[in-house]
Amino acid sequence: MEKCSKKLEFNPNTSKLTVTRLPMKNCDKCKSINMSASGFFGGSFVAPLDKNKIVIFPQSYGKKDVSVETMHISCQSDMYQPVHNYGGVIIYQYDSKSEWRTANNTHCKTGYIVIQDTDSENVKQWRNEPGAVHGAVYRNAFGESVNEAEVVGEGFAIRNDTTFEINSSVFSNPLGSAFHDYRRRMHELSEHSVRKIVEYWKTAGPCWLREILK
């Protein structure tokens, strides 16, 4: 059997995630990523080849698996402006639910993304929230603290020099989480797709992108 490489692609027209296999001879033409990684005490991110999605398996029998088939950017996200700083979060699960409403009645589903300007006073007022930047973005977007529910997610940031950062202690490496590995960074699977979504957001804006990602 011919060896193959695997990659995960995000389709902006459908919001779907697609796992594909390519012969090793084509590897120099694609982005190859690790398809699963488990931590010392955390869960695993896996992209099954026969199903176009990411599955997060918790290392706990009392927790539900998380199935991420689409990613959706919120209209509560700010418009991109060069030389500004932005914090973003992607939410996978909320109190074991794949669909929920937050304290300010925001309707969310697994794969919900919000990106906000961390230089704005709206976000700065919540800097006492966990993790400073990502906790503040979550509080400003959803009207509640991340500590008020069991939130499974990851955090990222876009710096004023357009640097895409993937570390977050409050979302990507929360203490005692059954859904994350030992690292503070986003998993490679989600990072690859979220990077693409951020590029669409920077040029198209959150509400236009929301329409094509339904």
Side-chain angles (χ1 to χ4, degrees):
M1 180 179 294
E2 184 180 22
K3 293 183 178 180
C4 68
S5 174
K6 309 169 187 176
K7 68 174 182 176
L8 186 76
E9 292 293 343
F10 172 77
N11 185 331
N13 296 312
T14 64
S15 78
K16 296 292 185 180
L17 303 177
T18 304
V19 180
T20 58
R21 304 176 69 178
L22 296 103
M24 288 299 288
K25 63 183 179 182
N26 292 332
C27 282
D28 58 340
K29 300 179 182 179
C30 71
K31 178 178 177 64
S32 178
I33 53 179
N34 182 18
M35 300 308 288
S36 65
S38 57
F40 298 121
F41 303 104
S44 301
F45 281 57
V46 178
L49 280 175
D50 59 335
K51 296 180 179 179
N52 296 324
K53 60 184 178 182
I54 299 171
V55 181
I56 308 172
F57 295 104
Q59 190 167 339
S60 172
Y61 292 111
K63 304 294 183 181
K64 295 181 179 179
D65 298 347
V66 180
S67 180
V68 187
E69 299 183 21
T70 63
M71 292 182 178
H72 172 102
I73 190 165
S74 170
C75 264
Q76 295 196 52
S77 297
D78 291 330
M79 296 292 294
Y80 175 72
Q81 298 182 67
V83 199
H84 282 230
N85 294 297
Y86 295 87
V89 296
I90 177 169
I91 309 300
Y92 301 121
Q93 194 180 84
Y94 180 97
D95 281 345
S96 300
K97 301 173 184 176
S98 59
E99 185 171 356
W100 65 94
R101 289 189 179 273
T102 60
N104 61 5
N105 205 36
T106 300
H107 182 206
C108 304
K109 295 182 180 181
T110 296
Y112 194 88
I113 298 172
V114 62
I115 306 171
Q116 294 195 340
D117 187 340
T118 54
D119 294 327
S120 72
E121 293 302 320
N122 287 338
V123 175
K124 284 183 177 180
Q125 67 177 320
W126 304 116
R127 283 298 176 90
N128 61 334
E129 288 293 317
V133 171
H134 294 113
V137 168
Y138 185 92
R139 177 65 181 266
N140 191 57
F142 302 123
E144 63 184 50
S145 174
V146 66
N147 287 337
E148 294 179 24
E150 184 180 14
V151 179
V152 180
E154 293 182 292
F156 58 94
I158 303 97
R159 298 303 180 190
N160 55 24
D161 60 356
T162 71
T163 301
F164 184 83
E165 297 188 355
I166 55 177
N167 293 327
S168 173
S169 58
V170 67
F171 280 102
S172 302
N173 184 227
L175 182 65
S177 173
F179 294 91
H180 297 83
D181 57 28
Y182 61 94
R183 304 174 299 173
R184 293 181 65 248
R185 59 157 290 158
M186 295 183 74
H187 192 275
E188 289 82 354
L189 286 173
S190 48
E191 176 199 349
H192 183 54
S193 295
V194 171
R195 277 182 181 271
K196 289 190 174 184
I197 292 173
V198 166
E199 291 306 310
Y200 284 107
W201 161 76
K202 287 167 67 174
T203 57
C207 291
W208 181 84
L209 187 58
R210 179 177 184 271
E211 292 303 312
I212 67 171
L213 294 188
K214 283 184 177 178

